[in-house]
Amino acid sequence: LSAQQAPADTVSNLAAMIEMARRHDHGLPIVVCTVPPRAHPQAPIDPAKWRELNAGIRALADRQAGVSVVELAEPLSAPDGSIDPRYFATDRLHLSAQGYERWKSALEPVLAPLRTSRR
C-alpha cells in the first residue's frame, strides 16, 4: 500500500500464490487476512485503496473453495475506521502485543476446524 501498487495487482499476486500452493497440495487449506489499518506518517496509504484491497481479498476468498479469510481491518480499527491505538505500536504501523493477541483471537475460529480436518 505504501508503494502505491494498485489493489488489483496485489490481489492478483495473492491469487498467484494460492495457485502455487494448490499445485503443491490441491487440498491445502489456505487462510488470507485483510490488511489492518495503519497511520504511519512515512508510510501513508490511500484509504480508498485500502478498502479496495480488502474488498478484493474478501472476494478472492469467496471465489475459491478452501480459502478462508480472517478479518483484521475491523477488529483492529476504532469505530470510525481509523487505527485503534491499543492494538498498534507507537509507530502506528506495526501491531502491539495487544494487537497480536487480537489477531490471534481472529485467527483461532478459522484455524480450529482446519486443524482437525487435516488429520
Side-chain angles (χ1 to χ4, degrees):
L1 285 170
S2 296
Q4 302 303 313
Q5 176 170 293
D9 291 343
T10 303
V11 172
S12 177
N13 290 341
L14 284 171
M17 287 185 265
I18 291 169
E19 177 59 32
M20 287 173 25
R22 290 293 161 91
R23 281 195 302 264
H24 174 72
D25 180 346
H26 183 71
L28 183 70
I30 296 172
V31 177
V32 295
C33 298
T34 59
V35 177
R38 63 186 197 194
H40 190 285
Q42 280 76 44
I45 60 169
D46 177 338
K49 285 185 177 183
W50 174 67
R51 287 189 296 275
E52 182 182 344
L53 174 58
N54 282 334
I57 292 168
R58 290 180 198 104
L60 176 65
D62 286 344
R63 288 192 308 266
Q64 298 198 32
V67 177
S68 303
V69 66
V70 173
E71 184 62 48
L72 291 182
E74 184 272 326
L76 297 169
S77 297
D80 68 356
S82 65
I83 69 165
D84 186 327
R86 295 176 295 174
Y87 304 125
F88 289 84
T90 56
D91 67 5
R92 302 171 61 91
L93 174 63
H94 298 96
L95 297 179
S96 65
Q98 202 173 356
Y100 281 109
E101 285 299 316
R102 187 86 164 157
W103 188 356
K104 179 182 172 186
S105 295
L107 278 168
E108 188 54 37
V110 174
L111 296 180
L114 298 177
R115 284 187 202 105
T116 57
S117 70
R118 291 290 288 182
R119 289 188 182 159

